[in-house]
Amino acid sequence: MRGKHATKPLDEVVREAEQLAADGVRELIVVAQDTTYYGMDLYGEPRLAELLRRLEQVDGIAWIRLMYFYPMYVDDTLIEAIAASDKIVPYLDMPLQHIHDEMLRRMARRITRRETEDLLAKLRTRIPGLMLRTTLITGFPGETADQFEELVDFVRTQRFQRLGVFTYSCEPDTPSANLPGQLSEEVKNQRRERLMEVQQQIAFAWNQAQIGIRKDVILDRPVPRESNVWIGRSHADAPDIDAVVYVTGGKKRLAAGDIVNCEIVAVREYDLIGVAMGIATPGGSVPATGSSFPPETSPPLRPDRRQLSRRRS
């Protein structure tokens, strides 16, 4: 993604949300190239908190999920808007990419380790039950073994519930392509695997701790060739990238888009298995999720792909 941000006007985003709700969408995914930057180029200041308050008023939307929630423009007003909301799920996808200060500088992240840790602590304190997802990059040019070990220790300490790791990919005509200290693919992959091994232990331990807990789960689609067994997601799970919850309905009549209160009874690696205890809010046969992007072809019950801001080429 290259070029300047181009914010989609508030009223236009709200109209899209109203249309998605009219089509039966229950979960709205707010996503942009840099979601917390929303409004800076058009209004001269971040306006995400105002947008979220407007979206909360849209009838029919039960959950609002925030993705690509970069840390640079997060302030107390935005945190309060999230914490006070009945619809914004306590889940933030915050791509941090690294934690060593020199790596953050080379990546042009405009934030330090201390600032990142202070923000994570504030978010966890202010937003009850917050689930944090992040993505990290291994093998960025110049990353030393010690800098990588600092990243590993950071992951162990922070214990993110959801985490993805990518190896650095050298793209022609980008600033990082000309940086010294390019690393081999072998080193990049070894470091990625190491981080994922650490995260797997954290994720599996978190899953085990969910057994016996009740959670609201939004149902996306039935499990093929099974009777009244559904694939859904809890607050902790964004579609397509996170885990799922397998829900057994028993004698309860369930439908796509229902938000069902479930008791978690077992785990299957990264996924949870639950039994439906009652329907929190019925949906009917509708797409469960939607977001603010122009639609593209996708399988049924997957989110529409729209964006509330984008970069001009």
Side-chain angles (χ1 to χ4, degrees):
M1 302 291 284
R2 302 179 190 177
K4 295 181 178 180
H5 291 79
T7 291
K8 186 179 290 184
L10 273 161
D11 289 344
E12 186 177 338
V13 178
V14 173
R15 281 195 299 271
E16 287 187 1
E18 290 171 343
Q19 183 58 60
L20 288 167
D23 291 340
V25 164
R26 311 300 311 287
E27 178 182 9
L28 188 68
I29 298 173
V30 179
V31 59
Q33 176 62 18
D34 184 345
T35 302
T36 55
Y37 183 90
Y38 176 76
M40 283 289 289
D41 59 304
L42 185 61
Y43 304 112
E45 61 182 359
R47 299 282 285 274
L48 181 60
E50 179 181 348
L51 173 64
L52 293 176
R53 286 191 287 268
R54 294 273 305 273
L55 293 175
E56 281 187 283
Q57 304 306 311
V58 177
D59 290 337
I61 297 297
W63 289 4
I64 299 171
R65 186 181 300 275
L66 297 170
M67 308 289 293
Y68 273 50
F69 192 87
Y70 278 96
M72 281 74 78
Y73 297 97
V74 179
D75 60 16
D76 288 343
T77 300
L78 179 55
I79 295 172
E80 180 58 29
I82 296 168
S85 174
D86 292 328
K87 291 188 176 183
I88 302 171
V89 297
Y91 171 107
L92 293 175
D93 166 47
M94 181 177 286
L96 296 177
Q97 300 186 337
H98 215 284
I99 199 56
H100 190 279
D101 283 333
E102 175 60 20
M103 283 292 97
L104 293 170
R105 186 189 67 79
R106 289 169 74 90
M107 292 174 168
R109 296 321 310 157
R110 293 176 292 159
I111 195 167
T112 66
R113 173 173 185 153
R114 177 64 180 272
E115 290 167 339
T116 298
E117 290 175 329
D118 287 349
L119 177 59
L120 292 174
K122 179 186 285 190
L123 290 168
R124 284 169 165 151
T125 299
R126 298 272 297 276
I127 303 173
L130 178 64
M131 309 293 300
L132 280 169
R133 152 172 275 283
T134 193
T135 48
L136 303 172
I137 296 174
T138 60
F140 193 84
E143 183 188 52
T144 67
D146 287 345
Q147 290 166 346
F148 172 70
E149 289 301 325
E150 184 173 324
L151 181 60
V152 173
D153 290 342
F154 173 75
V155 169
R156 285 199 182 105
T157 301
Q158 290 294 327
R159 300 187 71 80
F160 296 100
Q161 289 92 351
R162 303 287 185 256
L163 182 145
V165 184
F166 299 92
T167 58
Y168 167 73
S169 177
C170 184
E171 298 290 339
D173 302 321
T174 59
S176 60
N178 298 318
L179 289 175
Q182 300 284 334
L183 302 181
S184 70
E185 294 301 318
E186 180 181 8
V187 169
K188 295 176 192 177
N189 285 314
Q190 286 174 347
R191 291 179 180 179
R192 178 188 180 278
E193 291 304 313
R194 171 98 181 282
L195 268 182
M196 290 308 297
E197 288 171 1
V198 170
Q199 178 59 26
Q200 184 182 69
Q201 295 174 6
I202 295 168
F204 285 5
W206 184 85
N207 268 10
Q208 287 292 333
Q210 306 314 298
I211 295 176
I213 293 176
R214 285 197 176 191
K215 295 177 178 289
D216 284 349
V217 177
I218 190 166
L219 302 182
D220 285 332
R221 61 193 186 279
V223 174
R225 297 179 295 280
E226 295 287 345
S227 176
N228 206 22
V229 180
W230 293 80
I231 295 173
R233 293 171 294 101
S234 71
H235 286 172
D237 307 307
D240 298 327
I241 60 172
D242 288 325
V244 299
V245 182
Y246 292 95
V247 177
T248 300
K251 295 182 179 179
K252 295 179 176 62
R253 295 185 63 181
L254 304 179
D258 285 350
I259 296 176
V260 181
N261 187 257
C262 299
E263 181 176 347
I264 304 304
V265 297
V267 302
R268 190 170 77 176
E269 295 185 341
Y270 291 96
D271 300 323
L272 301 178
I273 299 171
V275 175
M277 308 301 290
I279 298 179
T281 55
S285 298
V286 298
T289 58
S291 69
S292 314
F293 273 123
E296 67 182 19
T297 303
S298 58
L301 307 182
R302 293 298 187 186
D304 297 329
R305 301 292 183 184
R306 304 176 190 234
Q307 58 186 2
L308 59 87
S309 80
R310 56 196 180 277
R311 291 185 189 270
R312 296 190 183 99
S313 298

